[in-house]
Amino acid sequence: MENKILKKVDYIFQETSVSEVIDIIIKTLAKSPDDIILDVIDSGLKGRGGAGFPTGLKWKFTKNEDNPVKYVICNADEGEPGTFKDREILETVACKVLGGMTICGYSIGAKEGYIYLRGEYNYLLPQLNKVIDEFNKQLKSKGIDFVIFIKSGSGAYICGEESALFESMEGKRGEPRNKPPYPAVSGYNSKPTVINNVETLVYVTMICKMGVERFKALGTKDSRGSKVFSVSGDTPTPGIFELELGMPLADFVEDFGDGDTKAVQVGGASGHCVPRKQLKDTIIGFEGIPTGGSMMIFNSSRSMYNVLHDYLEFFNEESCGQCTPCRVGCQQLLKGIESVKKGERKPLYLDELKKLASTMKIAAKCGLGQSVANPFNSIVDNFREEIIY
Amino acid sequence: MSEYLVNLKVNNIAVSVKEGTTILDASKKLNFNIPTLCNHPDLSVAGNCRVCVVEVKGARLLAASCATPVSEGMEVFTNSEKVRTARKHVIELLLSEHNADCTKCFKNGHCELQDLASEYRVGDHVFIDLVKSKDKILDISSPSISKDDSKCIRCQRCVRTCEELQSVSALAVVKKGDHQRISTFMNKPLDEVVCTNCGQCINRCPTGSLTERTYLDEVWNAINDPSKHVVVQTAPAVRIGLGEDLGYEPGERVTGKMVAALRHIGFDSVLDTDFTADLTIMEEGTELLTRLKRALVDGEKVALPMMTSCSPGWIKFQEHMFPDLLDNLSTCKSPQQMFGALVKTYYAKKKGIDPKNMVSVSIMPCTAKKFECGRPEMRDSGYQDVDYVLTTRELAMMVKQAGIDFMKLDDEKYDSIMGNSTGAAVIFGATGGVMEAALRTAYEIVTGREVPFTNLKIMPVRGFEGIKEAKVMIKDVKPEWAFLEGAELSVAIAHGLHNANELMKAVRAGTASYHFIEVMGCPGGCLGGGGQPIPTSPEIRQKRATAIYAEDEGLPLRKSHENPEVAQIYKDFLGEPLGHKSHDLLHTHYKERKRY
């Protein structure tokens, strides 16, 4: 394993004007779509929303679909508890997101791009619309056949799930679809669609600007590049930081913790809880624990029962309710730890609940239900006494 | 579906199936049954109950077999430890959320969740009972449908039925997470929304969450009351459906046994809605010819195409969705309501019974009829014309409650009068049947000859195509119908309200030029009605249709105007079709209803 140390970098938030982004696009579009896709594949860029699917492959699959209508969608439904990086990106460097969308559109053969903006971020609309209008005008004046639109969500966590997002965009109730077909084949309006996270699209622009090699020099073999982290909780320095991927979690806690760190919840409510004793052996990256960027630090004053209870209440409310494992499973996990806490059920019941969580991980319809086991099993395994007593 | 074959293995056995086949169907081909709940042959794939999950070698996740197409080289395991654990968890989770008062449930013994629980021997619940912590929401506002949320497993079959088959969307998913449930617009009671009472949701509900409003007790009480004369009428499609709930395979005709059973149960007069189906043809056929004459000869502005009015689900749909086309509806009451109006007037007089002591019960393949009999317009006899409507399913329950060994009954015949009918009336139970019956009669009235189709079988109007069209050339007419000489009568037929909706859009837009349209609210017509035995599927409905047409062919009389009792009622009581008495008793009007 490569031994990385924590390194702060500054790519994402590098100030770039609309006309600079347009210049990057024009330079990039001199290449063929296939060459651009090869570059993105070669860069090793993986989705920054949390799931970490190779971005270039997603583009390639969509390009290969024979359909005159395709779409690029920017997933800006940043709903994961503890994640607030996309908001900052859209507030400060939105034009780089638009750049990534345009390059993607050219590469896969799409003429329309949409930003799906989280309902709670609607206050950004006036300034975003201004940037988009100017950007669209410039694209048109340069003869680039691509237009970007924006659509608002209504505040459901599930609509960050890509297929629920499509349903929502189509004016329907936000419920995940069956897969296959995947978005590359049938996404928005049942057309081939690339859907990328806000941050991923910015990295596309940055890779096109600085070149594949400089990007590849960052991070590890499995986790190329850097990533934006939303740091919160028991830390003297909460905020947004761009760090190289592949660092040990211990280094991170060394830098950001308050000296009394008990555990770090990596990846938001749907991520894993890493206790102090595992910090040294945990790598932040796709070879270790992948993350959409949320790093919640808990010190010894925190009750991990309360932490888990909060997460379960969140899932209980935000499950779309469509599939049995998620809708009922979340209720059972929540009520289950409550009943153990109250002494109504024996501590051994936690093992039944862990089995249930494991079923949810493999039998739920979408990522929401599948990921509830992450916080549940990791917190119950590592802080069992806190749940019981 | 493509013709390419895909090779895969299910439980280590190789099989080749067409590309696009689901794992569920591929497994079935090898006789491996996978349980399902949200899946239904009439509906789009949902994949949300997760009871059908299977293991696919190399995959991180279990696959919902109903929603996952096969792929080359796939290795599927339908009964591995992983699968069994997950499936049991899913069943236990559903039960923890389900008000399992099985012994008291209307669907006891006919519940898919109960069957699964029994198969998997789910004993004492592992999980916490969630039913107690939820509001029990029971909606019995509708005279047709009862909706009990505490028994709902959120499979959304009802939602898909209402949207995909019926284009009504009275039912929808509301809220999310632990508050998610199936509800209506603004959570209004069912009787205040666009629900047409068709009951198709009931036919597809796997549990007792959606059932018909039952009036069994009221009917038993009437039968047991010696001061009451209880009359029963049976709709055309009941006789080919009832058997399914009493031990027969779909497609068995049980007319004679049904009549015998009704007598054993204690009905005082066992009569046939088919009689008024024949009467409907006389009234409606005359109405059509009159409208055509007024349009073609008198140059009047008449609402054409004329549309049938037998199906109360369709009528309420039209009142909500196409109020601008209400004049196009035939003013004829449905056969049930014609029967009700006559039984407490004509029949009562003939038999010397005081109508105030009569209780009029009808057995229908339909839940919308329960609503229809309570419409304020349906009291032309001076009383409520039809007092209680029972579904085919409820009749089967009565037969069982009465301890009747149905299969061993000897065939019996309906009472007379109002018990005689023709094959034209029987086929009212299938989509296209009213049209076929009307053509058999109208053509003969106009030309004096039989319809020019072999053995009276008007094939273009038969079958399950969503919207059917037919044209009949009218030549060599009788002198009084000279204005129709050389005309081509153009008709269309739709079944299921989705198809009706499409057809009405065309009519409204003026792109459809028909003279006469038949619409039945339910897929397949009454044979697929919301009161028919459960389950239903395209195959089952096909078998019922085959039975209906066989019943028609087996009858001595097959044209409504040849029914001697029909001739008699015109002579003794009604006078003539569309006459004064008919107008009072057999015709009605409609009213616009809001969509919300």
Side-chain angles (χ1 to χ4, degrees):
Chain A
M1 196 179 288
E2 291 171 72
N3 209 358
K4 279 277 168 187
I5 52 158
L6 181 134
K7 207 170 100 192
K8 293 182 183 165
V9 292
D10 181 23
Y11 296 100
I12 286 275
F13 294 104
Q14 256 177 31
E15 219 176 288
T16 317
S17 68
V18 169
S19 53
E20 278 175 88
V21 173
I22 296 284
D23 287 344
I24 295 169
I25 293 172
I26 290 172
K27 191 185 81 184
T28 308
L29 265 50
K31 298 184 187 179
S32 74
D34 284 327
D35 285 345
I36 298 172
I37 290 175
L38 279 177
D39 277 353
V40 179
I41 292 174
D42 186 32
S43 75
L45 178 62
K46 289 180 180 174
R48 293 305 197 236
F53 193 84
T55 305
L57 280 182
K58 221 182 223 186
W59 290 19
K60 187 179 157 192
F61 294 149
T62 313
K63 180 184 184 291
N64 288 346
E65 286 299 310
D66 183 18
N67 199 314
V69 181
K70 295 179 187 179
Y71 297 106
V72 179
I73 289 169
C74 167
N75 186 345
D77 191 65
E78 185 176 45
E80 189 62 47
T83 314
F84 40 86
K85 62 177 179 79
D86 292 343
R87 180 180 66 192
E88 185 72 10
I89 293 171
L90 289 168
E91 265 196 84
T92 56
V93 291
C95 60
K96 291 205 273 192
V97 180
L98 309 182
M101 291 174 75
T102 310
I103 292 164
C104 175
Y106 169 77
S107 307
I108 64 163
K111 297 186 169 55
E112 284 181 21
Y114 289 86
I115 296 175
Y116 183 88
L117 187 69
R118 182 182 184 193
E120 289 85 340
Y121 291 175
N122 272 349
Y123 71 94
L124 290 173
L125 274 174
Q127 72 179 81
L128 277 178
N129 276 325
K130 231 172 96 184
V131 180
I132 292 171
D133 283 348
E134 190 194 340
F135 194 84
N136 280 339
K137 246 182 246 160
Q138 292 234 22
L139 286 182
K140 200 173 175 194
S141 72
K142 305 289 179 197
I144 298 167
D145 188 8
F146 192 74
V147 192
I148 293 171
F149 305 93
I150 194 158
K151 283 204 179 206
S152 278
S154 300
Y157 173 70
I158 189 60
C159 290
E161 197 278 340
E162 55 193 19
S163 62
L165 186 150
F166 299 145
E167 292 283 302
S168 169
M169 278 183 70
E170 292 171 14
K172 298 181 231 159
R173 182 181 158 88
E175 286 186 344
R177 298 173 181 169
N178 290 302
K179 292 172 197 172
Y182 294 94
V185 175
S186 176
Y188 176 48
N189 285 340
S190 307
K191 304 291 182 198
T193 304
V194 163
I195 176 161
N196 283 146
N197 174 257
V198 173
E199 185 188 340
T200 312
L201 290 162
V202 178
Y203 277 118
V204 168
T205 306
M206 297 317 289
I207 289 167
C208 291
K209 183 184 176 191
M210 66 192 189
V212 171
E213 293 311 317
R214 268 184 70 196
F215 182 81
K216 277 168 73 174
L218 299 168
T220 63
K221 186 166 74 53
D222 293 321
S223 307
R224 295 289 183 208
S226 50
K227 158 121 203 57
V228 183
F229 290 88
S230 317
V231 182
S232 64
D234 296 314
T235 166
T237 51
I240 294 164
F241 301 90
E242 187 177 1
L243 309 172
E244 248 193 278
L245 282 170
M247 65 191 164
L249 191 49
D251 282 15
F252 173 85
V253 168
E254 183 73 22
D255 241 49
F256 290 94
D258 63 358
D260 183 28
T261 300
K262 175 157 88 176
V264 182
Q265 179 74 16
V266 181
S270 66
H272 293 264
C273 183
V274 184
R276 180 164 194 87
K277 60 177 190 264
Q278 289 171 13
L279 294 176
K280 231 170 33 187
D281 302 323
T282 303
I283 301 293
I284 299 302
F286 299 107
E287 63 271 61
I289 297 193
T291 164
S294 165
M295 304 293 262
M296 278 186 269
I297 304 173
F298 299 112
N299 69 17
S300 61
S301 73
R302 306 293 165 185
S303 151
M304 296 314 285
Y305 172 81
N306 286 348
V307 168
L308 180 59
H309 192 271
D310 276 4
Y311 290 166
L312 291 174
E313 273 191 329
F314 173 78
F315 288 124
N316 207 25
E317 190 172 316
E318 293 298 341
S319 162
C320 79
Q322 181 186 194
C323 83
T324 312
C326 183
R327 178 187 71 253
V328 197
C330 287
Q331 295 176 61
Q332 288 295 349
L333 294 182
L334 176 63
K335 290 217 185 303
I337 63 163
E338 283 174 349
S339 72
V340 170
K341 192 72 171 177
K342 285 188 211 146
E344 292 165 0
R345 295 235 170 183
K346 296 209 170 87
L348 277 177
Y349 187 56
L350 289 175
D351 297 325
E352 291 297 332
L353 294 178
K354 276 181 61 193
K355 282 187 218 158
L356 171 60
S358 300
T359 285
M360 291 166 70
K361 197 182 180 82
I362 56 172
K365 188 167 179 175
C366 82
L368 196 164
Q370 288 158 17
S371 60
V372 177
N374 297 338
F376 190 86
N377 287 351
S378 59
I379 291 177
V380 170
D381 280 345
N382 292 301
F383 300 97
R384 198 177 171 101
E385 320 73 47
E386 288 194 43
I387 308 296
I388 300 168
Y389 304 108
Chain B
M1 200 177 283
S2 90
E3 292 303 307
Y4 291 109
L5 286 183
V6 174
N7 304 296
L8 71 153
K9 279 183 182 170
V10 180
N11 300 336
N12 296 315
I13 301 173
V15 64
S16 297
V17 293
K18 280 183 194 164
E19 190 184 19
T21 306
T22 61
I23 294 176
L24 180 70
D25 289 337
S27 303
K28 208 170 273 172
K29 213 177 154 187
L30 291 171
N31 302 322
F32 292 118
N33 288 325
I34 299 171
T36 56
L37 281 173
C38 68
N39 195 51
H40 195 280
D42 288 324
L43 305 173
S44 67
V45 169
N48 57 22
C49 75
R50 315 307 282 180
V51 94
C52 75
V53 287
V54 295
E55 192 173 347
V56 177
K57 195 174 169 184
R60 181 174 62 87
L61 304 171
L62 299 180
S65 59
C66 71
T68 311
V70 295
S71 58
E72 186 62 35
M74 196 179 235
E75 289 187 49
V76 175
F77 299 93
T78 66
N79 193 33
S80 66
E81 192 190 344
K82 246 186 185 175
V83 170
R84 288 183 56 81
T85 305
R87 195 169 286 159
K88 204 160 179 195
H89 268 142
V90 169
I91 297 167
E92 284 171 349
L93 288 175
L94 286 171
L95 286 170
S96 77
E97 205 188 28
H98 178 78
N99 176 16
D101 66 347
C102 299
T103 52
K104 290 178 262 173
C105 181
F106 194 68
K107 285 285 281 294
N108 189 11
H110 297 276
C111 170
E112 293 177 43
L113 183 61
Q114 194 182 40
D115 290 348
L116 266 183
S118 159
E119 250 176 54
Y120 278 77
R121 293 291 144 191
V122 178
D124 239 359
H125 282 196
V126 179
F127 296 122
I128 294 168
D129 183 358
L130 299 170
V131 182
K132 287 185 215 132
S133 60
K134 298 207 173 171
D135 300 335
K136 284 197 178 57
I137 304 177
L138 177 66
D139 182 352
I140 50 166
S141 64
S142 158
S144 299
I145 297 169
S146 159
K147 177 169 172 285
D148 182 352
D149 285 359
S150 72
K151 290 175 184 168
C152 173
I153 59 165
R154 277 74 159 180
C155 66
Q156 300 187 28
R157 279 190 195 171
C158 56
V159 175
R160 283 175 283 150
T161 299
C162 204
E163 179 186 338
E164 296 169 11
L165 300 181
Q166 300 298 71
S167 291
V168 171
S169 294
L171 295 173
V173 183
V174 299
K175 300 198 177 170
K176 55 186 165 57
D178 53 347
H179 289 99
Q180 187 242 33
R181 60 190 197 92
I182 311 303
S183 188
T184 56
F185 180 70
M186 300 295 279
N187 293 317
K188 287 185 178 190
L190 267 179
D191 70 338
E192 290 178 26
V193 295
V194 290
C195 173
T196 64
N197 305 307
C198 73
Q200 288 299 312
C201 54
I202 298 174
N203 284 5
R204 288 168 188 81
C205 179
T207 69
S209 184
L210 287 160
T211 59
E212 60 263 59
R213 288 288 309 283
T214 180
Y215 301 93
L216 281 174
D217 288 344
E218 288 83 345
V219 173
W220 277 122
N221 288 343
I223 288 171
N224 291 330
D225 183 343
S227 70
K228 299 290 182 200
H229 184 95
V230 187
V231 176
V232 68
Q233 55 167 316
T234 62
V238 175
R239 65 206 69 194
I240 52 89
L242 180 67
E244 287 168 43
D245 270 358
L246 294 168
Y248 287 101
E249 287 296 307
E252 189 76 28
R253 295 184 272 150
V254 295
T255 318
K257 290 188 194 313
M258 175 179 72
V259 171
L262 288 166
R263 288 213 177 91
H264 285 303
I265 285 169
F267 287 103
D268 298 303
S269 297
V270 180
L271 305 177
D272 201 354
T273 316
D274 284 16
F275 165 74
T276 37
D278 279 333
L279 198 61
T280 298
I281 291 302
M282 299 308 294
E283 293 288 326
E284 201 163 301
T286 311
E287 185 184 0
L288 174 66
L289 292 172
T290 307
R291 284 197 196 202
L292 290 174
K293 180 165 180 292
R294 283 169 58 197
L296 297 174
V297 180
D298 309 334
E300 282 180 47
K301 220 171 150 21
V302 183
L304 285 170
M306 192 176 93
M307 299 164 188
T308 60
S309 55
C310 308
S311 165
W314 147 244
I315 294 296
K316 188 158 184 274
F317 177 84
Q318 198 74 338
E319 289 176 326
H320 283 295
M321 311 294 192
F322 295 90
D324 49 316
L325 297 178
L326 290 182
D327 284 345
N328 294 64
L329 288 172
S330 160
T331 59
C332 287
K333 285 182 187 171
S334 70
Q336 161 176 284
Q337 293 304 142
M338 284 195 185
F339 193 100
L342 290 173
V343 89
K344 289 192 180 177
T345 53
Y346 173 64
Y347 189 81
K349 203 168 139 196
K350 283 264 179 190
K351 299 284 174 183
I353 308 163
D354 186 344
K356 89 169 186 295
N357 292 329
M358 284 179 99
V359 176
S360 157
V361 176
S362 67
I363 314 293
M364 293 285 141
C366 182
T367 49
K369 294 278 178 197
K370 290 175 188 267
F371 163 82
E372 186 189 33
C373 78
R375 286 180 71 123
E377 306 89 349
M378 301 302 172
R379 305 178 65 90
D380 288 333
S381 64
Y383 304 89
Q384 179 163 328
D385 296 335
V386 173
D387 294 294
Y388 305 112
V389 176
L390 303 180
T391 60
T392 309
R393 299 187 289 265
E394 286 173 287
L395 174 57
M397 287 177 199
M398 287 189 94
V399 172
K400 287 181 188 166
Q401 286 172 14
I404 295 166
D405 193 344
F406 189 78
M407 286 173 141
K408 294 198 178 132
L409 289 176
D410 287 329
D411 287 358
E412 290 183 20
K413 286 200 173 343
Y414 284 100
D415 292 328
S416 182
I417 49 178
M418 293 178 68
N420 205 343
S421 68
T422 70
V426 172
I427 58 175
F428 265 56
T431 167
V434 175
M435 182 61 69
E436 182 165 349
L439 289 175
R440 286 182 191 173
T441 289
Y443 189 89
E444 202 161 317
I445 288 177
V446 172
T447 66
R449 303 184 308 276
E450 279 195 345
V451 280
F453 291 91
T454 313
N455 197 18
L456 296 175
K457 296 199 285 196
I458 309 180
M459 298 312 284
V461 304
R462 295 189 181 186
F464 286 160
E465 203 187 315
I467 297 173
K468 291 165 282 191
E469 292 179 328
K471 288 185 168 34
V472 180
M473 196 63 173
I474 303 176
K475 275 193 305 207
D476 304 325
V477 298
K478 288 182 174 172
E480 62 267 39
W481 300 103
F483 69 96
L484 287 174
E485 180 62 40
E488 192 176 48
L489 188 70
S490 175
V491 302
I493 297 121
H495 62 112
L497 294 171
H498 167 75
N499 295 318
N501 190 49
E502 295 303 306
L503 189 56
M504 286 309 112
K505 282 194 282 186
V507 170
R508 181 185 267 167
T511 55
S513 58
Y514 305 109
H515 302 107
F516 191 30
I517 291 176
E518 178 208 293
V519 179
M520 292 294 159
C522 292
C526 304
L527 59 85
Q532 288 284 64
I534 300 169
T536 184
S537 70
E539 289 76 34
I540 290 173
R541 292 194 293 275
Q542 184 53 58
K543 287 179 181 163
R544 293 177 188 164
T546 306
I548 278 194
Y549 288 114
E551 183 94 352
D552 166 37
E553 283 192 63
L555 287 172
L557 298 175
R558 295 177 58 212
K559 291 176 282 192
S560 296
H561 56 278
E562 290 178 349
N563 183 334
E565 288 191 349
V566 167
Q568 189 191 353
I569 195 173
Y570 279 115
K571 184 165 156 280
D572 294 355
F573 186 68
L574 291 171
E576 55 177 358
L578 298 189
H580 184 65
K581 200 113 195 178
S582 290
H583 180 81
D584 285 350
L585 291 175
L586 308 183
H587 290 259
T588 185
H589 55 274
Y590 311 102
K591 64 168 190 185
E592 176 170 357
R593 292 173 198 269
K594 298 256 178 292
R595 290 176 80 154
Y596 49 83

